[in-house]
Each structure stands twice: as C-alpha cells, then as structure tokens.
Amino acid sequence: MADKSLRPGRARSASRNEVREQMRRFLRDPEHEPADHGPPRPGAGSPTDAPVWESLTTRDGLPHDWIYDLFADSTGAVWVGTWGGGLARRDDGGWRVYTQADGLASAAVTCVREDPYGGIWAATSAGLCRLEGERFVDAGLTGSSLLTICFDDAGRLWAGAWRASRTGGGLHLLRPRDASGAGRWQAFGSGDGLPGLEILRILQDSRGHLWVGTYDRGHGAGVGRFDGRRWRAFNRADGLAGDCVYAMAEDRDGHLWFGTTEGVSVFDGARWRRVTRRDGLVDDRVYAVTVDDRGALWFGTEGGVSRFDGATWTSFTREDGLVENLVRTIAQDREGALWFGTYPYARDRGGISIARSAGAAARSLTAPAAPAAPAARGPRRLPGG
C-alpha cells in the first residue's frame, strides 16, 4: 500500500477568465439562488487542502485492478465492481471477494447498488444478481449485458443495458412486490421514446424525473428524461456538450451535471452550459461526476481528476499521486474519504486511489493489512475507450 501527500495548490485553472466568470454567474444566478445549506455536517472528512493519497491494487487485496464501479453502502462498507475479477467488499480494513463461484453471473461487475431494504444488487455483463446471505442469486435479465442500475424514490429498480445488437440493450424497470424484489419487468425501447438503446447511466433527480445517458456504439444518442408518462430527448442540438453521456449528478442547487466524451454540460432546467478543458477540466472525456459532502463537484476523466468548488478548479493526475489517470468511478465513504476507481486499459495497471484528510489518513494507516488476492485474469475492453 502506497501513501503520498498531495502537493497543495496544484491547480490547472481556466485560461478563459470571462467564460469562468459566466459559469460562476450561471451557478449563482439570482433566479436560481442557492439555499443556505449551513456548515458541513459534523465530522465531514471530504479532503480539501493537502489530502493524503492511499493506493489499493491487487497487491493489497483487490481481485482485479480494472475498476468499473465503486459504491459505499449504508453500513459503511465500500463495494468494488471490477471487469474481470468479480466483486469485492471492503470493511474494517479487510476484503471479501465474490466471484462466479459465489453466484455472480459474470466476473465483469459494472454497477452495485443498495435497495430500500438494505439488500445489495450487482449488475454484470451477463445479468442481474442479488446478495442473499453470502451468496449471489439470479435476479433477472439473464444474458443481458448491464452497465447501470438505480433505485428510484418508490423503491423500483431500473437497469440499463448496452450491446444492443447482441442482447437488445434498452432500459428495464422492475416493480417489486415485496422485500425479496420479486416482480415484473417492463422494457423501454425506441418505440417508447427512449433516445438510445445502449444505456450508460441512470439518475433520478430531486424533481422525480428519471434521466438516462446513452452510448450507442460510441456515438451516443444524448440523454433522455422520463417524467413518469413520456420521454424527452436532449442532444447536441439542445446544448448538450456531447451525445455520449457516461455520468450524471445533481448538485445542491438542483443543477444537473452531465459528463460526456466532449466535456461537461450543466442544466438548470431551462438553460445548458458547457465546461471543457479551457474552463478548468483536466480532460474533456468525462466518465464520472460526484458531489461530495461539502457540495464540491469531482470529475473523473481520461486525464485525471478535477474538483470544482463553485469558483476554483483544481486537478490531480499521476504526477500528484493518483494511481492512474483514467478515472472511471468515484465514491465517498462514511468517513468522508473519496475513492477513485481507475480503468487504464493496460495489463498490470490500475487500481483505486483514496484521498483522505490528514487525520483520517493517520487512522487508516493503523488498520491491519489486507490479505493478498489471487492473480487477476486478463481484462476486456469496455465501451468508450
């Protein structure tokens, strides 16, 4: 396990001051005046100045170094979906690894989420699985290559698939009848208004709208918004930065941020704004967007990580201590540390970087070492590379 102090103040700031000022005005428009959220919650540990990097790889217990998804559950455990090594859970400093021998439909785990009952679900390249005890069981959509799942406010499960030419792709809704999740699947396709058949990301916003980001053979079909009755599509013609949309997040003021392969788009419900490298992003290919517990936005890109606090951009790369530059997923754990899962498309490369505040890092270093994991199998290439 490697630790490295991040050099404070390293920032790749925008050169276009005028555009940056326009973004500030947009985010603080009197028409969309932010609510007073008060100070950060007690104990909030989101790293700001001079955090410490901690790196986790197969040498530290990961089953594979290609990380597709990170998820922090309600118990404080962090789940790691890998492409080729199955699923790992980290809690109390140790690892529990799940493979196909433990019931997973595939060793490629693309998304992990928790249902309203505390149950853990895993999307894989060969279907959906649900954890029962210490084994995963078939939860439906067998054979579908899934990339994303999401539980809405009503407790319903939405699942997005890709590889439309092989398995049909599309969006699927499970209406559960009980805590076990048994229920009926409903499929959405182009005939229902879905903008594309290859779904990269699903998000429900604070207004109750469901959003999907599309891949569609790397060209993308923009994003779709579902209000419960009908779909509306948005693409470049409407102001979206790019039509291939990997990531979505909503900030504290209700603005939606979309990570695309051509920069970031910000939507306030009426207007679109585009953010690119010229405005402060470290790279325009954006795979992950997360809002931390202090309200700052973090962007995982092909060239590193960028943080935006509403006024200032700061970016981090391998030169600063990040284990790899291509960051596919970001999560924040219960202690406030930020986890960055990397996916470098190269053998013997990748892993996880964790950014902690100095105090939290000191506590982490006292945890017992994790046991070594078995050798990882050969990786496979993912969309958007």
Side-chain angles (χ1 to χ4, degrees), residues 55-60 62-68 80-85 301-304 317-319 321-328 340-353 375-380 382:
S55 298
L56 298 174
T57 68
T58 52
R59 294 185 295 274
D60 305 298
L62 276 177
H64 203 292
D65 283 334
W66 285 25
I67 313 302
Y68 207 97
V80 183
T82 76
W83 190 274
T301 81
E302 194 160 292
T317 68
R318 290 183 67 187
E319 296 178 7
L322 193 65
V323 68
E324 292 290 347
N325 279 341
L326 198 159
V327 175
R328 182 64 182 79
F340 304 94
T342 70
Y343 199 114
Y345 301 117
R347 292 180 183 275
D348 303 319
R349 296 270 299 274
I352 295 170
S353 287
R377 292 187 290 176
R380 296 174 60 188
L382 291 184

Side-chain angles (χ1 to χ4, degrees), residues 116 150-158 173-176 204 208 210:
C150 171
F151 286 95
D152 65 20
D153 289 342
R156 301 176 302 178
L157 173 63
W158 298 80
L173 168 63
L174 177 62
R175 302 176 184 273
Q204 185 183 38
L210 192 83

Side-chain angles (χ1 to χ4, degrees), residues 173-332:
L173 168 63
L174 177 62
R175 302 176 184 273
R177 290 192 294 264
D178 53 37
S180 71
R184 178 178 59 87
W185 286 101
Q186 177 184 353
F188 293 85
S190 55
D192 303 295
L194 197 67
L197 291 178
E198 296 186 323
I199 309 301
L200 284 171
R201 186 60 59 191
I202 306 170
L203 169 76
Q204 185 183 38
D205 67 23
S206 59
R207 300 171 181 84
H209 296 150
L210 192 83
W211 294 80
V212 297
T214 65
Y215 175 71
D216 285 51
R217 296 183 175 88
H219 301 292
V223 296
R225 183 182 68 191
F226 186 56
D227 63 6
R229 294 178 299 172
R230 61 179 63 88
W231 288 91
R232 179 177 175 185
F234 299 89
N235 54 37
R236 275 196 193 91
D238 301 294
L240 193 64
D243 286 336
C244 190
V245 180
Y246 272 86
M248 298 180 285
E250 183 175 6
D251 67 21
R252 290 182 172 184
D253 303 321
H255 300 126
L256 294 169
W257 297 72
F258 299 87
T260 83
T261 52
E262 299 176 63
V264 171
S265 283
V266 193
F267 185 55
D268 69 351
R271 297 173 299 168
W272 293 88
R273 293 291 186 275
R274 184 182 182 191
V275 182
T276 68
R277 290 181 63 185
R278 293 182 296 174
D279 306 303
L281 272 175
V282 68
D283 194 277
D284 285 342
R285 295 184 70 88
V286 180
Y287 300 115
V289 183
T290 296
V291 182
D292 70 20
D293 57 10
R294 296 173 184 262
L297 285 123
W298 294 80
F299 303 88
T301 81
E302 194 160 292
V305 174
S306 292
R307 177 182 183 271
F308 181 57
D309 64 5
T312 302
W313 289 88
T314 306
S315 292
F316 313 115
T317 68
R318 290 183 67 187
E319 296 178 7
D320 304 295
L322 193 65
V323 68
E324 292 290 347
N325 279 341
L326 198 159
V327 175
R328 182 64 182 79
T329 177
I330 306 172
Q332 187 170 29

Side-chain angles (χ1 to χ4, degrees), residues 113-172:
R113 292 296 181 266
E114 184 176 9
D115 67 26
Y117 304 97
I120 296 297
W121 298 64
T124 80
S125 65
L128 185 65
C129 302
R130 185 181 70 251
L131 186 63
E132 287 190 357
E134 281 299 299
R135 285 190 58 82
F136 279 90
V137 299
D138 180 11
L141 301 178
T142 303
S144 293
S145 190
L146 304 176
L147 286 182
T148 179
I149 55 178
C150 171
F151 286 95
D152 65 20
D153 289 342
R156 301 176 302 178
L157 173 63
W158 298 80
W162 70 298
R163 290 176 172 161
S165 61
R166 300 188 202 176
T167 61
L171 182 69
H172 306 269

